[in-house]
Each structure stands twice: as C-alpha cells, then as structure tokens.
Amino acid sequence: MIVFDLKCGTGHVFEAWFGSSDAYEAQRAGGMIQCPMCGDGDVAKAVMAPNVGAKGNQSPAIAPAALKAAMAAVAEIQSKMLEKSQWVGTAFADTARAMHLGDAPQAQIHGQATADEARELVEEGVPVAPLLVPIVPPEACN
C-alpha cells in the first residue's frame, strides 16, 4: 500500500491509499477518484514532504544540572506537603476510600498502596496522586 496526498481542481488537499502507483494511475484514468470535500473529479498528486523520522539517539537532552535542580525542587515541595499530612501506612487505600465515602473525617494522608489498590481508587473516583520522590516509612527510619 502507498499513500498519496491528492489535490482537486478547486484546491482541496486530501490523502488516499492505493495498492501501488499503477493502481492510482488506473483509478485516476478511469475517473474513479473524486475529492471527498467537493466531489471534483479533476484530481492530481499534490506535493508531499517525505516522512523521515528523527534519529533515535538525537532526542533533546536535558542538562544533568537542570534535571538535578528540578528533582530537588519536587522533593522540597513534597517534603513540605508531607509535614502537614498523616502517615497511614498500608491502610492508605481503605482510609482514602472511607474519607471519600464520608465514613471518615477528611484529612491529608499519605501511605502505601499496591498498584491494584491505587488503580481501584482511581476507578472509584477517589482523588489520589502518587508521590514523585520515594519516602521512607516512619517505622523504617532510624
């Protein structure tokens, strides 16, 4: 299969797929190609830009210093938010769900949840967000 950009006599440009260049020529000669916007049968190939992908090793590089500064800023913001939040450990999913349903008082909490628990909370509409910088649970601190 091959794709061509086509242009009608009134200037509409559209894309069409053909089995080959010969198939395009045969359909054009037989009057089987029309502009999908205006129905014009005066259709020819339009100028096309080649689709050349970028080299895989040439993605825009983030300077290591900039990345380190960004991660430090995220860690600082998260740390300030955690100071005002209560650690609930592995009871996070149950506690967040209870608050969402009105069965527990609203509070800022953080804790641990499995991927399945987190997915279920999101599906239930419970407002949760992952911590971007890993934390050490209080019971594991020296």
Side-chain angles (χ1 to χ4, degrees):
M1 295 295 283
I2 188 167
V3 65
F4 290 122
D5 281 344
L6 303 178
K7 186 174 184 178
C8 74
T10 60
H12 297 123
V13 178
F14 58 98
E15 187 177 274
W17 288 84
F18 299 92
S20 65
S21 291
D22 292 338
Y24 160 75
E25 292 297 340
Q27 290 180 32
R28 182 174 178 268
M32 298 171 23
I33 303 173
Q34 294 182 340
C35 174
M37 290 165 260
C38 66
D40 186 3
D42 180 22
V43 177
K45 290 182 188 175
V47 177
M48 294 176 54
N51 184 9
V52 179
K55 285 186 176 180
N57 64 352
Q58 296 201 356
S59 61
I62 298 174
L67 182 59
K68 186 175 181 180
M71 289 301 293
V74 168
E76 179 67 23
I77 292 168
Q78 181 175 291
S79 176
K80 287 181 180 179
M81 291 176 66
L82 291 174
E83 288 174 6
K84 301 173 186 175
S85 178
Q86 177 188 358
W87 172 258
V88 295
T90 57
F92 178 80
D94 292 335
T95 305
R97 184 176 289 111
M99 288 190 316
H100 179 71
L101 296 174
D103 296 336
Q106 295 293 312
Q108 291 183 351
I109 62 169
H110 65 282
Q112 296 174 318
T114 66
D116 287 339
E117 288 172 331
R119 193 175 303 108
E120 289 171 2
L121 289 171
V122 170
E123 289 171 357
E124 293 171 23
V126 179
V128 295
L131 295 176
L132 301 175
V133 178
I135 62 167
V136 177
E139 63 269 11
C141 292
N142 291 339

